[in-house]
Amino acid sequence: MRNITLVILFFFTCLVSYAQNGLERIIVEKYYISDINDATLNDVGGELPVGSTTYRIYVDMLPGFRFQSCYGSDIPDHPLIIATSRKFFNNEDRGAIFPTFNKNATKNNTVLLDSWVSGGYACAGNLGILKSEDNGVETVVNNDGILKNINPDAGIALTQEDGLITGSTNQLIVAGITEGDSGLNRLLDNTNDGPMGSMIMTTNGLWGVPGGTAGPDTVQNIVLIGQFTTDGDFSFELNVQVGKIGTVEQYVARNREGDEITIPSLVYPLSVNTDDYFFSKVSKFELSPNIVSESLVIPQNMLSMIDYKYEIFEVTGALVHSGHVNINSALIPTHNLQSGLHFIRIYDNKQIKVAKFVKM
């Protein structure tokens, strides 16, 4: 029962109710893809293989809810798993299992790509936000002239938006997940010597924020909970607790029992029907043509002068490109996307519309 005690640390109150579905989805953002220039500083920050992808994981909640913990439990069987088929990259100069380095440090070598877990922070004094939500103010300029790769599979370039915004949250705490071959101290420290086939796994541990934390935008309410860089196949199974005054909700990747809730995006890559996942609770629209090569065109009859945001997802559920679109800029480049099925989500603060297309 130890794991149940750990989870209770994050309850707001002893009198709780269930069933509002405050966790809307888990967002996986491809933050950066490294190139040969980024590998030139291996003697400073540790070996960063060319083609390594930096993934950021966010919880997207209804307004009023707060992220409390990401946990693993063996009663019932709810393992917390974050894995790669190769190794997690850990910066050997300033890297840490939590983003405790300051923003000035993110300007040095490859510190910005370090792997860590979080409860909102991306570095000391700065919260992590989706690059598509950034305003370009005080964007990190790398002191060593790297991290400039412009790869549409990773969305907006870091030279334009770094996904950092000034802010603070309650202190992160960790229990039962640091030690051992699958612990954070072994796989996410600054030695960069984790084993091939690295897997963070616990059935009796967590990381979280006492009292919980909300996103810097209280309407969208998106909180960064981790960043992982690897040149291997990335996957996870998450169990997440969120809550607000009088309410606690637990979301599990599998083996749901009682009041526990399951949503598809707790597992990555998606292992469910992607149509059901992307089209649930949103309006569907059609693209014509929906087989594209160089670009896709958003129908003008669904746009206005208002600046809409868009996100493009791979069939795995990974966010690979994002930006803005309106009646004057209805053409979205797709020439650098990987071939296959994709989904595009267009939204403002009132509505969300989704369509699918195939990139040839």
Side-chain angles (χ1 to χ4, degrees):
M1 296 295 289
R2 282 185 305 157
N3 52 344
I4 302 300
T5 301
L6 291 173
V7 173
I8 288 175
L9 289 173
F10 297 92
F11 281 16
F12 283 115
T13 172
C14 294
L15 300 174
V16 298
S17 60
Y18 289 82
Q20 190 171 355
N21 286 28
L23 177 62
E24 297 189 276
R25 57 175 174 154
I26 302 296
I27 299 175
V28 181
E29 177 188 42
K30 285 188 176 180
Y31 183 68
Y32 187 73
I33 297 175
S34 67
D35 62 11
I36 188 64
N37 293 324
D38 304 321
T40 60
L41 292 177
N42 284 346
D43 60 333
V44 176
E47 182 178 354
L48 175 66
V50 176
S52 295
T53 299
T54 301
Y55 300 87
R56 281 186 169 187
I57 304 175
Y58 301 82
V59 293
D60 182 2
M61 300 170 289
L62 290 176
F65 278 82
R66 302 172 72 85
F67 166 73
Q68 296 179 346
S69 68
C70 194
Y71 67 94
S73 168
D74 59 0
I75 307 174
D77 183 21
H78 297 321
L80 167 66
I81 300 171
I82 303 173
T84 173
S85 60
R86 294 186 63 81
K87 295 171 61 176
F88 292 115
F89 169 73
N90 305 300
N91 185 270
E92 296 178 10
D93 178 24
R94 311 290 177 91
I97 63 176
F98 317 116
T100 52
F101 42 81
N102 61 33
K103 189 172 182 180
N104 283 335
T106 66
K107 302 176 183 179
N108 297 321
N109 54 74
T110 53
V111 175
L112 195 60
L113 307 183
D114 191 40
S115 299
W116 32 258
V117 298
S118 178
Y121 284 115
C123 64
N126 284 260
L127 303 176
I129 60 173
L130 291 166
K131 289 184 292 182
S132 59
E133 300 302 317
D134 204 343
N135 57 12
V137 176
E138 296 184 348
T139 298
V140 168
V141 177
N142 189 273
N143 288 335
D144 298 293
I146 60 169
L147 306 188
K148 293 182 177 181
N149 191 20
I150 300 175
N151 188 325
D153 280 352
I156 303 169
L158 294 185
T159 53
Q160 298 174 354
E161 312 285 3
D162 58 18
L164 297 173
I165 186 172
T166 301
S168 62
T169 183
N170 293 336
Q171 182 178 358
L172 186 76
I173 71 166
V174 176
I177 196 174
T178 56
E179 306 298 332
D181 289 341
S182 60
L184 303 182
N185 288 346
R186 173 76 171 100
L187 301 179
L188 301 185
D189 64 4
N190 63 352
T191 62
N192 202 29
D193 63 352
M196 297 294 286
S198 296
M199 177 183 293
I200 298 167
M201 184 173 70
T202 182
T203 56
N204 188 32
L206 57 80
W207 78 84
V209 181
T213 185
D217 183 325
T218 57
V219 176
Q220 295 201 51
N221 203 13
I222 298 173
V223 175
L224 175 67
I225 63 170
Q227 175 175 294
F228 304 91
T229 297
T230 179
D231 62 332
D233 296 327
F234 181 64
S235 61
F236 61 68
E237 292 186 16
L238 302 181
N239 311 299
V240 175
Q241 180 169 298
V242 304
K244 63 180 181 179
I245 299 297
T247 299
V248 168
E249 299 176 355
Q250 293 174 332
Y251 293 78
V252 297
R254 55 178 169 170
N255 303 324
R256 182 180 69 85
E257 292 188 4
D259 291 317
E260 294 172 336
I261 305 167
T262 297
I263 58 174
S265 56
L266 290 165
V267 177
Y268 179 85
L270 284 175
S271 59
V272 299
N273 184 300
T274 50
D275 278 14
D276 291 343
Y277 174 63
F278 281 101
F279 290 116
S280 62
K281 299 182 181 179
V282 299
S283 300
K284 181 179 179 180
F285 73 97
E286 300 293 334
L287 292 170
S288 182
N290 66 352
I291 299 177
V292 303
S293 177
E294 298 298 311
S295 60
L296 63 82
V297 180
I298 304 302
Q300 290 197 346
N301 61 6
M302 62 171 288
L303 297 174
S304 69
M305 297 301 291
I306 297 173
D307 191 36
Y308 294 90
K309 296 171 182 175
Y310 73 81
E311 299 170 334
I312 295 177
F313 298 84
E314 292 178 341
V315 71
T316 62
L319 175 64
V320 295
H321 191 46
S322 58
H324 298 263
V325 63
N326 58 45
I327 197 169
N328 293 321
S329 58
L331 195 68
I332 297 175
T334 58
H335 59 281
N336 282 321
L337 297 179
Q338 295 182 356
S339 298
L341 179 65
H342 290 75
F343 295 83
I344 182 167
R345 177 187 285 123
I346 296 176
Y347 60 96
D348 58 15
N349 59 1
K350 296 181 180 179
Q351 61 181 336
I352 300 174
K353 296 184 179 182
V354 176
K356 58 183 175 180
F357 66 95
V358 175
K359 167 60 169 51
M360 296 298 292

